[in-house]
Amino acid sequence: MSSDLFPAIAAFACVARHASFTRAAAELGVSTSALSQTVRTLESRLGVRLLDRSTRRVGLTEIGQRFLDDALPALSGLGAAMAAVTETRDAPAGLLRINLPRAVADILVMPHLTAFQARYPDVVVELHCDNRFVDLVAAGFDAGFRMGESLGKDVVAHPIGGPQRIATFVSPAYARAHGTPTTPGDLLHHRCVGVRLDHDRSPMRWDYVQEGRLMEVDTRHGMISNDDSLLLAAALAGSGVGCHFESMVSQHLASGALLPVLQDYWPTFSPFHVYYPSRMHMPRKLRVFVDFLRERHAPNGD
């Protein structure tokens, strides 16, 4: 294949990632009509239709999906080669796109973002908060954050911070009105504030430790959301029993705005990890971001 098609393949991959010519054109800095013509030229050269177009959406054809799957490693390799060339720049720079759950952003990143920006002013950090696992390469992310237990074997991962304990709690108003659970099994008799990570999945079961074993417990929900801030606000307002990372609610527990329950059963999980595909060269902007967070979350960090 002629190398002059490489820009067109990259443009096609961008359209596929956004499922939109308009959004892809905005990212690439070209007109929608020019981008559409680029993709049509690629399809003509290949002799196949890669995209299904309608007035409402843009989707991949079956052969388009296969072509994208085969092309992404090569595009990633080219990006890595370009990143390696720019390693000699005096200062890290560029857009750093990170996929992470909102809780991770609140716990690990946001408290230190201003300091990172002061040290590396030419790096633009884009935080895309999402509870779902995504294909980092296909979605155009440099890296993601997840708990260590959730990571596959085909990624490079670095722990950030220490182990994370999961707390269970109620507001004083809820405790006065409904009492508190004394064992995990009691949760079936209480309203709970539950989390659903994705719209087509069941709400998460809650984890507890009993006699040294991790167990999953069913709960009775009075409210369900995929947004950590809403879930915490609901618990603070007395809507039900809440469950969250202890580091996210420690101030509320210390002030008495929330009361700890089931403390003997709280589980502890491995630290959050920042990860990226094992085949991807680690760009300098990501390396300094990871090193900075590991420094800030070290036992003697700020």
Side-chain angles (χ1 to χ4, degrees):
M1 180 182 296
S2 174
S3 61
D4 66 336
L5 287 181
F6 288 163
I9 295 172
F12 156 70
C14 187
V15 174
R17 170 157 53 86
H18 286 288
S20 165
F21 277 96
T22 302
R23 291 194 292 271
E27 177 180 322
L28 296 172
V30 299
S31 69
T32 302
S33 60
L35 179 58
S36 179
Q37 184 57 49
T38 296
V39 175
R40 288 188 185 279
T41 300
L42 175 63
E43 291 176 319
S44 177
R45 293 281 295 275
L46 295 175
V48 297
R49 185 162 52 87
L50 299 173
L51 295 171
D52 282 323
R53 303 163 176 84
S54 72
T55 57
R56 300 181 60 184
R57 64 182 299 274
V58 176
L60 287 163
T61 63
E62 182 179 354
I63 196 169
Q65 183 65 64
R66 292 204 305 269
F67 181 69
L68 179 65
D69 292 341
D70 292 338
L72 282 175
L75 292 173
S76 178
L78 287 172
M82 293 177 65
V85 170
T86 61
E87 287 291 277
T88 57
R89 293 178 59 166
D90 291 337
L95 177 64
L96 180 64
R97 301 189 72 232
I98 305 293
N99 179 278
L100 72 176
R102 173 61 186 271
V104 180
D106 289 337
I107 295 170
L108 295 184
V109 180
M110 293 308 298
H112 308 286
L113 184 58
T114 300
F116 177 80
Q117 292 171 320
R119 187 181 299 184
Y120 302 105
D122 295 326
V123 178
V124 179
V125 180
E126 178 180 338
L127 302 178
H128 183 85
C129 294
D130 192 346
N131 290 319
R132 300 173 300 167
F133 284 98
V134 299
D135 184 326
L136 295 178
V137 174
F141 291 106
D142 295 287
F145 280 83
R146 290 295 183 274
M147 300 196 80
E149 290 86 355
S150 304
L151 296 174
K153 297 180 180 180
D154 59 342
V155 301
V156 177
H158 304 275
I160 304 293
Q164 296 288 333
R165 191 160 70 150
I166 308 296
T168 307
F169 43 82
V170 297
S171 70
Y174 182 91
R176 288 192 298 270
H178 305 285
T180 59
T182 57
T183 69
D186 292 342
L187 291 171
L188 286 174
H189 306 292
H190 287 265
R191 291 200 313 269
C192 294
V193 179
V195 58
R196 191 195 304 272
L197 295 182
D198 203 350
H199 68 89
D200 59 354
R201 298 175 61 181
S202 300
M204 289 186 65
R205 303 175 78 189
W206 290 6
D207 293 315
Y208 292 98
V209 173
Q210 190 167 23
E211 298 178 353
R213 293 188 306 109
L214 186 67
M215 60 179 183
E216 291 185 334
V217 173
D218 289 316
T219 54
R220 183 171 66 89
H221 298 109
M223 175 190 172
I224 300 171
S225 177
N226 69 335
D227 186 279
D228 293 316
S229 298
L230 288 178
L231 294 171
L232 180 55
L236 285 165
S239 292
V241 183
C243 183
H244 210 333
F245 294 107
E246 184 181 10
S247 52
M248 283 288 293
V249 298
S250 58
Q251 291 184 340
H252 297 299
L253 293 172
S255 69
L258 291 174
L259 307 176
V261 297
L262 303 177
Q263 280 183 283
D264 291 341
Y265 302 93
W266 289 3
T268 299
F269 293 97
S270 68
F272 292 113
H273 287 63
V274 59
Y275 72 99
Y276 57 93
S278 57
R279 64 179 180 272
M280 187 182 81
H281 169 78
M282 190 179 192
R284 193 177 182 198
K285 60 187 176 182
L286 177 58
R287 181 179 297 116
V288 298
F289 182 73
V290 172
D291 289 345
F292 180 85
L293 288 182
R294 295 183 76 176
E295 170 193 321
R296 300 287 288 198
H297 289 281
N300 60 345
D302 295 334

